Amino acid sequence: MDRGLILAIFSIISGWALILLSLLVIKVLILSTREGSFFYSLMEVGMSFLTLISFLFIWYRLLRYLFLRTKVGDSGPGGT
Amino acid sequence: MRPFLFFSYWQYVIKMHLAVIVLMASILGLLFSEIFHRRIIPRLISRNYLSEDVHKPDKPRIPEPVGPAVSLAFIVSTIVLAPLVKDPILLMGIAASSGISSMIGLLDDISPLGAKSKPLLLTLPAFVMMATGGLIPRPILPILGRARLYYVYWPLLMAMYTVFSNSVNMMDALNGMLPLSVFGATIPLIPVILMTGRDEALISLVLLLSVMFPYYLRNKYPARVFGGDSNSLFIGATLAGISASSNTEAFFSISLLPFIVSGFSLIVSVGGLVERREIAKRPVVVKDGMIRANPDRAAPMSMIAILTSSKPKREPEIVMEVALISLFSGILSCLTFFLLTPR
């Protein structure tokens, strides 16, 4: 197993964790806001999207950083 | 009066078990796909519809696009099977929306569409699915359970069609990579769809896998045919239709993570929607049949570039790794449904 394959598997597991984490945050948001009001429902949706986008941004930056390190890094040849 | 109502008599007379219909779907899909492949490939060769296989040292010319053989087989099989299911309109809706995507892909194969107009056009199949009236805007989500998205669901459905279609399209880069990774990502989802009780979605998925099989045999390394956008966009739209009809959008998104990660990374790293032919720096470089990530720091990131970031690899090796990763994400999605989703 080489570092490229490990990075690819990491991208899948971290992407999956990102989805679950976003949903967990949404659940907390739903539980903490009042039910029944259209304004609150709209806020929930807006907050959910903001959460997802911010997590996505952090995830992409991390993946790109690791990718560049693996690609042009000087930590030895590929392979574990 | 609802169309296909005259068939309802036969539904009760025949009383076919789901397993028999699924078996019929797989046989019909294989049969029609094989027939259409045999009819279409010689015609493509005689009319000189050939494309270069850029990853081979001798750059052979391969018939393209064979996508209509796959999509036509799916549509014809659906028409045959529609009278036997509970909701024939939904089943036909999945086929019709996928057919529209295939047509858009064919248009792109013949005369390339713009990088911005293609994703916009790919929202059209979502309207067909909405028109069937068979969609319930209550997707099943991990951790949350059944959500109520009566307003947000419809724009999300349009976005899902374009995301799935484009992600699958971007994965169609190496010989046999697209069909093999779709097999890996979707086969573990069969128990998930079974649990939702939407027979139409299950039949469509089995049909999709069976029509793709003759294509895979011809597209695997070394490829004898290329599907083109008419194939990849069709497959993406069919997956979107299946997930929407069974409310398993989130689980399909998890199982298609290798596709979405690759597509998303590529789009972000080139700075927006850019046509494949217009990307200045390629994500990978090919030398003596070996593929490796472009050493240029500014080169875009894709799944193939990630896999070849530490060492160059041969085409079949990359395809097998992508298929295994897809299988892994498919199993992850299945486990998420059974272990982390309230029902």
Side-chain angles (χ1 to χ4, degrees):
Chain A
M1 196 180 264
D2 58 274
R3 281 182 292 155
L5 184 58
I6 292 168
L7 185 60
I9 294 168
F10 168 77
S11 73
I12 303 305
I13 294 172
S14 57
W16 171 75
L18 179 132
I19 292 171
L20 291 191
L21 197 64
S22 306
L23 291 169
L24 199 67
V25 172
I26 292 166
K27 187 161 191 169
V28 171
L29 276 171
I30 290 169
L31 290 175
S32 59
T33 52
R34 270 184 283 170
E35 252 186 73
S37 159
F38 178 74
F39 173 74
Y40 280 111
S41 304
L42 201 70
M43 203 175 74
E44 271 170 25
V45 173
M47 290 288 278
S48 308
F49 275 111
L50 271 178
T51 311
L52 191 67
I53 290 165
S54 52
F55 281 165
L56 208 60
F57 176 77
I58 297 164
W59 170 80
Y60 173 74
R61 299 302 300 176
L62 175 71
L63 192 65
R64 177 88 185 160
Y65 168 76
L66 291 171
F67 170 67
L68 290 177
R69 281 219 29 163
T70 316
K71 192 165 74 163
V72 291
D74 53 359
S75 49
T80 53
Chain B
M1 196 177 85
R2 279 163 71 93
F4 297 105
L5 195 65
F6 62 98
F7 283 124
S8 59
Y9 169 73
W10 291 105
Q11 284 178 2
Y12 296 112
V13 170
I14 297 168
K15 278 193 184 293
M16 273 193 192
H17 194 268
L18 179 64
V20 179
I21 302 174
V22 165
L23 187 71
M24 274 179 71
S26 51
I27 294 168
L28 281 176
L30 278 171
L31 195 72
F32 281 124
S33 183
E34 186 60 35
I35 292 169
F36 284 123
H37 272 89
R38 288 184 187 201
R39 302 282 293 178
I40 288 174
I41 296 165
R43 281 171 172 76
L44 289 173
I45 296 168
S46 66
R47 285 170 197 178
N48 204 31
Y49 280 109
L50 305 168
S51 298
E52 213 173 67
D53 190 347
V54 292
H55 297 113
K56 305 281 184 307
D58 54 341
K59 308 238 181 320
R61 289 174 64 77
I62 313 288
E64 186 185 6
V66 187
V70 181
S71 54
L72 277 174
F74 184 84
I75 292 165
V76 173
S77 309
T78 303
I79 292 169
V80 174
L81 291 167
L84 308 173
V85 299
K86 273 185 283 186
D87 192 347
I89 296 174
L90 187 63
L91 192 73
M92 291 297 287
I94 297 171
S97 59
S98 312
I100 291 172
S101 286
S102 185
M103 291 292 284
I104 295 166
L106 193 62
L107 206 65
D108 192 42
D109 286 329
I110 297 164
S111 167
L113 299 166
K116 288 179 180 68
S117 57
K118 195 160 68 175
L120 205 65
L121 279 172
L122 286 169
T123 59
L124 288 177
F127 290 98
V128 178
M129 282 302 285
M130 290 177 204
T132 62
L135 296 185
I136 305 157
R138 299 201 62 192
I140 307 166
L141 300 174
I143 296 169
L144 297 173
R146 270 210 188 262
R148 282 171 294 184
L149 302 174
Y150 297 118
Y151 301 106
V152 191
Y153 185 78
W154 311 109
L156 281 179
L157 181 72
M158 288 192 272
M160 188 176 74
Y161 260 90
T162 196
V163 168
F164 276 24
S165 303
N166 279 297
S167 304
V168 172
N169 183 29
M170 286 178 185
M171 207 61 154
D172 193 15
L174 301 177
N175 293 179
M177 188 159 102
L178 172 61
L180 204 59
S181 45
V182 169
F183 289 144
T186 56
I187 289 171
L189 288 178
I190 290 175
V192 175
I193 297 176
L194 261 172
M195 288 295 290
T196 63
R198 296 304 290 259
D199 300 351
E200 296 77 17
L202 181 70
I203 292 162
S204 292
L205 181 60
V206 171
L207 206 51
L208 176 70
L209 297 175
S210 53
V211 295
M212 275 169 60
F213 193 68
Y215 169 71
Y216 167 67
L217 293 179
R218 291 169 169 89
N219 184 243
K220 70 178 184 183
Y221 186 89
R224 289 177 286 135
V225 295
F226 285 151
D229 285 7
S230 53
N231 182 50
S232 54
L233 297 183
F234 157 77
I235 293 169
T238 311
L239 294 174
I242 293 166
S243 67
S245 60
S246 57
N247 289 129
T248 52
E249 297 88 344
F251 304 97
F252 268 82
S253 302
I254 294 171
S255 67
L256 293 177
L257 266 174
F259 298 68
I260 295 168
V261 166
S262 188
F264 176 78
S265 309
L266 199 65
I267 289 169
V268 175
S269 48
V270 295
L273 293 167
V274 178
E275 187 54 33
R276 197 163 28 184
R277 303 155 190 98
E278 293 167 8
I279 299 172
K281 285 176 180 151
R282 306 303 303 175
V284 292
V285 286
V286 188
K287 197 179 175 190
D288 302 325
M290 298 295 277
I291 301 166
R292 67 165 302 172
N294 191 342
D296 190 332
R297 283 185 74 88
M301 183 170 75
S302 67
M303 187 50 80
I304 302 172
I306 292 173
L307 282 167
T308 56
S309 55
S310 61
K311 67 170 188 177
K313 289 173 186 170
R314 287 184 66 245
E315 199 175 340
E317 192 185 348
I318 300 168
V319 172
M320 194 47 71
E321 285 181 355
V322 173
L324 287 174
I325 290 169
S326 302
L327 181 68
F328 171 71
S329 58
I331 293 168
L332 199 63
S333 175
C334 184
L335 290 176
T336 307
F337 179 82
F338 284 105
L339 303 176
L340 292 170
T341 308
R343 279 188 294 278

